[in-house]
């Protein structure tokens, strides 16, 4: 579930040389004041200066070239230890300045349909930008988006295998302030594969999802193929208006009743309008009985966490659960 992280190592070895670190990976640029420079490790940026060494990047992309796959804790450990070896400094002791914790879910409908059902939560700012749902504050950022669309745009796709059609990504970014608040101290890189730390982050990731206000089903849960003709589109529009206002009542008891300059022919037109409204609502009963998208997403999250706990290499036995959560209590 770990994705992008930023590590910063301040406790440098006695024989540390920032030039030596950059030489090991092939420096791409040096600072103008000759106090450091930057290079690339497995496609991700490394900065070495007189006072620190930092790494920032997606761990899955370092290993696979994409983040459609979730890493195991063993893979996370192996990558960070390899980073330490390749740079020649103990990056496993580096401070974690932020980390992204995420998983991709294969859904029945396009991701945007599920994002529309997510509203907001207390003390967080909601924001929808460029097809992505954000819910954030200065410590934590929740993010939902179409992972396949994003991966295609960045050209970060697996070389082999068939891609799922609808892949929704749920991602939580823990900023340093959020990590310090959660753990009561600075988190180091070597703790990322510790089960107590990992499952604390899992619990937070699930808890934030649970706290989001979920919107009920509505007329917007449709695809283009719901309209067999332009007349169906008109019926859909009537259903949307009727969801917020009893249209039949409003037309009869407000618009028709208080019309100016009443004419005998008005009753015929009123009858025709009422008939159109009823036809639209009958059409809506058949075509707008949308599946409960929130229930589908919640179920998939719960199923994933059950697998993660009970079957994955990162799961825990009952004894481990008692040990981990017992220590936490």
């Amino acid at each position: 579930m770990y994705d992008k992280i930023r590590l910063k190592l301040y406790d440098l070895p006695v024989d540390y040389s920032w030039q030596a670190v950059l030489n090991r990976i092939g420096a791409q640029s040096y600072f103008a004041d000759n106090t450091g420079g930057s290079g690339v490790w497995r496609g991700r940026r490394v900065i070495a200066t007189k006072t620190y060494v930092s790494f920032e990047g997606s761990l899955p992309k370092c290993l696979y070239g994409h983040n459609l796959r979730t890493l195991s804790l063993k893979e996370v450990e192996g990558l960070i230890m390899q980073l330490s070896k390749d740079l020649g400094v103990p990056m496993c002791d580096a401070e974690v300045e932020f980390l992204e914790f995420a998983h991709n879910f294969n859904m029945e409908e396009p991701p945007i349909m599920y994002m529309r059902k997510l509203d907001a939560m207390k003390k967080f700012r909601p924001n929808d930008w460029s097809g992505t749902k954000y819910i954030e504050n200065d410590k934590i950022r929740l993010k939902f988006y179409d992972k396949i669309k994003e991966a295609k745009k960045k050209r970060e796709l697996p070389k082999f295998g068939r891609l799922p059609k609808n892949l929704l990504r749920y991602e939580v970014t823990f900023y340093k302030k959020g990590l310090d608040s959660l753990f009561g101290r600075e988190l180091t890189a070597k703790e990322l594969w510790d089960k107590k730390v990992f499952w604390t982050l899992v619990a937070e990731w699930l808890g934030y999802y649970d706290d989001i206000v979920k919107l009920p089903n509505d007329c917007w849960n449709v695809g283009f193929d719901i309209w067999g003709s332009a007349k169906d589109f008109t019926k859909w529009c009537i259903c949307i208006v009727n969801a917020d206002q009893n249209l039949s009542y409003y037309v009869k008891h407000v618009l028709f009743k208080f019309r100016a300059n009443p004419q005998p022919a008005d009753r015929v037109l009123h009858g025709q309008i009422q008939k159109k409204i009823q036809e639209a609502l009958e059409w809506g009963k058949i075509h707008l009985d949308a599946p409960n998208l929130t229930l589908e997403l919640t179920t998939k999250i719960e199923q994933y966490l059950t697998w993660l706990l009970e079957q994955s290499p990162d799961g825990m036995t009952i004894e481990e659960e008692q040990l981990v959560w017992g220590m936490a209590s």
Side-chain angles (χ1 to χ4, degrees):
M1 296 181 72
Y2 293 114
D3 190 17
K4 187 176 182 180
I5 64 172
R6 183 194 297 141
L7 306 177
K8 224 167 192 180
L9 179 67
Y10 292 101
D11 190 9
L12 300 167
V14 176
D15 59 348
Y16 168 74
S17 163
W18 63 265
Q19 294 94 335
V21 171
L22 295 177
N23 286 338
R24 294 173 73 101
I25 58 173
Q28 290 189 333
S29 63
Y30 292 95
F31 299 165
D33 57 2
N34 198 38
T35 59
S38 66
V40 173
W41 183 80
R42 298 197 179 194
R44 311 300 142 189
R45 195 180 190 202
V46 170
I47 295 176
T49 74
K50 290 182 178 181
T51 57
Y52 70 85
V53 178
S54 72
F55 164 83
E56 183 173 335
S58 165
L59 295 180
K61 291 178 183 178
C62 286
L63 194 59
Y64 298 111
H66 61 82
N67 59 357
L68 297 179
R69 178 171 173 176
T70 298
L71 297 184
S72 67
L73 295 185
K74 197 69 177 176
E75 290 173 316
V76 172
E77 178 183 7
L79 268 173
I80 292 177
M81 296 309 293
Q82 189 63 49
L83 174 66
S84 299
K85 181 178 179 180
D86 292 348
L87 298 186
V89 291
M91 293 303 291
C92 53
D93 295 326
E95 296 175 12
V96 181
E97 294 209 322
F98 79 75
L99 66 85
E100 290 177 353
F101 209 69
H103 190 68
N104 305 310
F105 294 94
N106 192 0
M107 311 303 294
E108 295 294 328
E109 304 294 334
I112 188 64
M113 305 294 287
Y114 302 88
M115 288 185 269
R116 286 175 180 162
K117 311 305 296 177
L118 306 175
D119 191 14
M121 51 196 289
K122 291 182 179 179
K123 299 182 180 180
F124 281 72
R125 301 179 301 274
N127 182 27
D128 293 276
W129 183 76
S130 190
T132 299
K133 176 76 176 183
Y134 296 92
I135 306 173
E136 59 190 328
N137 59 25
D138 62 344
K139 295 181 179 181
I140 303 291
R141 182 185 69 184
L142 281 63
K143 186 177 176 183
F144 295 84
Y145 60 96
D146 186 329
K147 184 57 193 175
I148 295 298
K149 182 178 179 181
E150 186 252 10
K152 286 181 177 179
K153 184 177 180 180
K154 291 185 176 181
R155 297 184 179 180
E156 295 174 337
L157 297 166
K159 294 181 179 179
F160 306 101
R162 185 177 180 180
L163 296 175
K165 183 179 179 181
N166 301 312
L167 202 61
L168 173 66
R169 184 172 180 84
Y170 167 41
E171 180 178 287
V172 175
T173 298
F174 296 86
Y175 298 113
K176 191 174 190 305
K177 189 183 293 187
L179 290 171
D180 292 348
S181 177
L182 178 60
F183 294 101
R185 56 179 172 76
E186 293 177 340
L187 191 67
T188 60
K190 63 187 175 187
E191 294 180 278
L192 293 178
W193 51 90
D194 178 271
K195 284 190 176 180
K196 180 182 177 183
V197 170
F198 175 73
W199 280 98
T200 297
L201 292 169
V202 171
E204 290 294 299
W205 180 82
L206 175 62
Y208 284 123
Y209 172 77
D210 287 342
D211 288 344
I212 299 173
V213 174
K214 317 298 193 302
L215 299 175
N217 279 351
D218 56 35
C219 299
W220 296 101
N221 289 332
V222 301
F224 186 81
D225 57 356
I226 200 173
W227 303 311
S229 66
K231 289 182 180 180
D232 287 345
F233 177 79
T234 302
K235 293 174 183 176
W236 177 67
C237 292
I238 291 174
C239 290
I240 289 175
V241 176
N242 192 74
D244 294 322
Q245 172 68 58
N246 187 323
L247 202 52
S248 181
Y249 179 92
Y250 186 77
V251 169
K252 180 178 181 179
H253 295 283
V254 179
L255 299 182
F256 179 72
K257 184 176 181 179
F258 297 105
R259 67 195 186 282
N261 190 26
Q263 300 294 321
D266 293 346
R267 292 187 177 277
V268 176
L269 178 58
H270 175 252
Q272 292 172 339
I273 292 173
Q274 289 290 355
K275 184 179 179 181
K276 291 291 184 183
I277 293 172
Q278 293 308 312
E279 288 176 349
L281 297 183
E282 289 300 319
W283 176 89
K285 290 179 181 179
I286 298 173
H287 295 87
L288 299 180
D289 186 18
N292 191 326
L293 301 181
T294 299
L295 178 60
E296 182 195 348
L297 177 56
T298 300
T299 299
K300 296 216 170 191
I301 289 176
E302 292 174 349
Q303 288 173 343
Y304 169 67
L305 292 181
T306 298
W307 172 85
L308 190 65
L309 178 63
E310 298 180 357
Q311 299 180 44
S312 80
D314 304 326
M316 293 188 288
T317 63
I318 295 177
E319 291 75 16
E320 285 177 318
E321 286 187 59
Q322 292 173 342
L323 178 63
V324 168
W325 301 121
M327 291 169 59
S329 62

